[in-house]
Amino acid sequence: MGDGRIDHEAAGLSSFRRYTWWTVPGMTVCVLTVFVGAWVLDGDVPLWARGPAAVALAVEVWASAVLLSRRLTLLPVTDAHPAGPPPGLLLAAVGAGVVLAALPLAVRDYGLWPVAPALVVAIVATYLPPPRRRPLIAGAVVLALLPGGVVSLVEGDGELAYAALFPAGLVAFTAWVTLGPLWAWDTAWRLDEARRLEAELAVREERLRFAGDLHDIQGHHLQVIALKSELAARLVEVDPARAATELKEIRQLSADALSDTRAVVQGYRRTSLDAEIGNATRVLAAADIDARTTLEPAAVATELTDSARHLLGLVMREATTNVLRHSRARHAEVDYRIADGLARLRVSNDGAERHPAALEGTGLRTLAERLEAAGGELTWHHDGDLFLVAAALPAQPCPSPNPADGAAR
């Protein structure tokens, strides 16, 4: 659409475009052919007027159909997307319209002379943005009062009201019936474009979510594997048995990482808060970090929604990874409880860096956005060598199954 044209097939608007074509260009051709053509074939019309009118009619029908068809292939006309009719076609339409107005007016046919000019005004208006259409149509309506009114006054035929008012009304009516379907067409295109953009945004958001989950899983597993590999390397000579144990755990962690990655790709894996807390305790202990866990009984007994447990599990994993990567911690604390209707998870550690790299990454910031969207919050605080991550989510328990439903089944 770089040239300002609409890909109708891609937009799914082919049927509506065909309907609009028959409504606007088709109607224009029919009106010109029926009304002006009947006048050209009328034997009472002087021959000197019928010949030029027939040529002008053919030109007007061709130019009008092409101009309106071209307008349907353009983006909705706005100040940001201006459009203009081809000058050659526009001159042809205006010239033919002048001829088809002057000849009937010369024989005092006050009902026919405004037909072609009214259609030309409507066609030009379709190429203008709405703020510029109104002055054009209003000016054309006012000007349409003059030709017929002047001729009627000069001839003194007593048809002044009809000669002045009917052309003005015809110009306004023609603009209305022409611009109405085109407005509907433009609106339909905008809605379809908005639907397409919404679908693209949904795909992009899903890709970002997937990338975040994959980053969390791979980053966590790789950090633990690196830590245990370093530990095993130090123990090979001093404690071969423990080094072998660490190597077995490394192999198991690698298998787990591969399994979790496959599960994420397939969309099945959901992080569990309980599993992450247990895993964090083991990993921190393996890194010689004194990890103390406080789990409030009421919090353990409360069955949160899967979504809430998933988000808190992600927080626990990210906090554990940050302890391992961005600190020289000797002590860490994990506290999980229910307070004021919120499930609260706090992870703190000492030995934090002076300028923690965790604050510059995207892990905590991304999780903060996800918790905020779920009605909770995620904050982190750095004070000296102490680093604290605190998460809170509404403690909305899962609905308990209805015994009556079970009996019914």
Side-chain angles (χ1 to χ4, degrees):
M1 294 185 298
D3 60 352
R5 295 183 177 273
I6 300 174
D7 185 351
H8 304 290
E9 296 298 333
L13 298 175
S14 297
S15 297
F16 190 56
R17 179 178 180 272
R18 284 194 295 270
Y19 168 79
T20 308
W21 193 95
W22 284 109
T23 303
V24 182
M27 180 196 69
T28 300
V29 170
C30 288
V31 168
L32 286 171
T33 303
V34 171
F35 289 96
V36 182
W39 186 81
V40 170
L41 296 176
D42 189 352
D44 295 334
V45 177
L47 186 60
W48 60 265
R50 293 165 59 188
V55 176
L57 174 61
V59 174
E60 184 71 18
V61 167
W62 166 73
S64 299
V66 174
L67 284 169
L68 288 173
S69 298
R70 183 182 183 278
R71 171 60 180 82
L72 286 176
T73 66
L74 299 176
L75 295 175
V77 178
T78 63
D79 290 329
H81 295 285
L89 284 173
L90 181 60
L91 288 176
V94 172
V98 170
V99 173
L100 293 177
L103 293 176
L105 192 60
V107 296
R108 296 193 299 279
D109 192 331
Y110 303 124
L112 183 66
W113 81 260
V115 171
L119 289 173
V120 172
V121 169
I123 291 171
V124 174
T126 63
Y127 281 88
L128 299 177
R132 296 172 58 189
R133 290 174 186 167
R134 300 185 188 97
L136 172 66
I137 296 172
V141 169
V142 173
L143 290 176
L145 297 169
L146 301 179
V150 171
V151 172
S152 180
L153 284 175
V154 171
E155 296 293 333
D157 53 17
E159 298 186 19
L160 176 61
Y162 172 72
L165 297 179
F166 179 79
L170 183 63
V171 170
F173 177 77
T174 303
W176 175 49
V177 298
T178 302
L179 293 173
L182 281 175
W183 171 83
W185 161 251
D186 290 346
T187 301
W189 182 87
R190 288 191 181 98
L191 290 174
D192 192 82
E193 181 69 4
R195 178 198 58 77
R196 185 185 65 80
L197 291 176
E198 182 181 10
E200 289 183 359
L201 287 175
V203 172
R204 292 180 183 179
E205 289 178 358
E206 178 61 19
R207 287 174 178 172
L208 289 174
R209 183 202 64 78
F210 173 79
D213 286 350
L214 191 61
H215 167 270
D216 292 341
I217 290 172
Q218 296 286 14
H220 177 74
H221 282 299
L222 291 176
Q223 181 63 33
V224 176
I225 289 173
L227 177 67
K228 285 186 168 291
S229 298
E230 182 181 353
L231 178 60
R234 293 201 306 265
L235 294 175
V236 167
E237 296 181 359
V238 298
D239 192 349
R242 186 179 174 189
T245 301
E246 294 294 335
L247 290 173
K248 290 180 181 179
E249 291 188 8
I250 291 172
R251 183 176 64 181
Q252 183 59 45
L253 284 170
S254 301
D256 291 343
L258 180 60
S259 175
D260 288 345
T261 301
R262 288 173 175 170
V264 166
V265 172
Q266 295 173 356
Y268 296 142
R269 189 179 192 277
R270 298 292 290 179
T271 303
S272 167
L273 174 61
D274 302 332
E276 290 299 331
I277 290 178
N279 182 61
T281 303
R282 292 191 299 271
V283 170
L284 294 175
D288 293 331
I289 298 175
D290 181 16
R292 299 183 180 181
T293 303
T294 302
L295 301 178
E296 185 184 60
V300 176
T302 301
E303 295 184 0
L304 300 178
T305 61
D306 290 342
S307 177
R309 287 194 173 277
H310 173 64
L311 288 175
L312 291 176
L314 291 176
V315 172
M316 186 70 244
R317 178 195 296 163
E318 182 67 22
T320 305
T321 302
N322 287 337
V323 172
L324 297 173
R325 295 180 60 185
H326 306 304
S327 76
R328 298 181 178 179
R330 304 305 302 168
H331 302 280
E333 293 185 4
V334 178
D335 184 275
Y336 176 57
R337 64 183 64 244
I338 301 293
D340 301 326
L342 296 174
R344 298 182 179 274
L345 175 65
R346 293 165 57 92
V347 183
S348 61
N349 64 275
D350 62 1
E353 299 173 351
R354 185 175 298 274
H355 300 288
L359 299 180
E360 302 175 1
T362 59
L364 290 176
R365 300 182 191 281
T366 301
L367 285 173
E369 295 175 358
R370 296 179 66 174
L371 264 72
E372 183 178 357
E377 65 173 357
L378 175 64
T379 59
W380 50 92
H381 178 65
H382 182 242
D383 184 9
D385 70 341
L386 179 67
F387 190 73
L388 171 66
V389 177
L393 276 175
Q396 299 175 349
C398 299
S400 301
N402 191 337
D405 293 342
R409 288 192 294 270

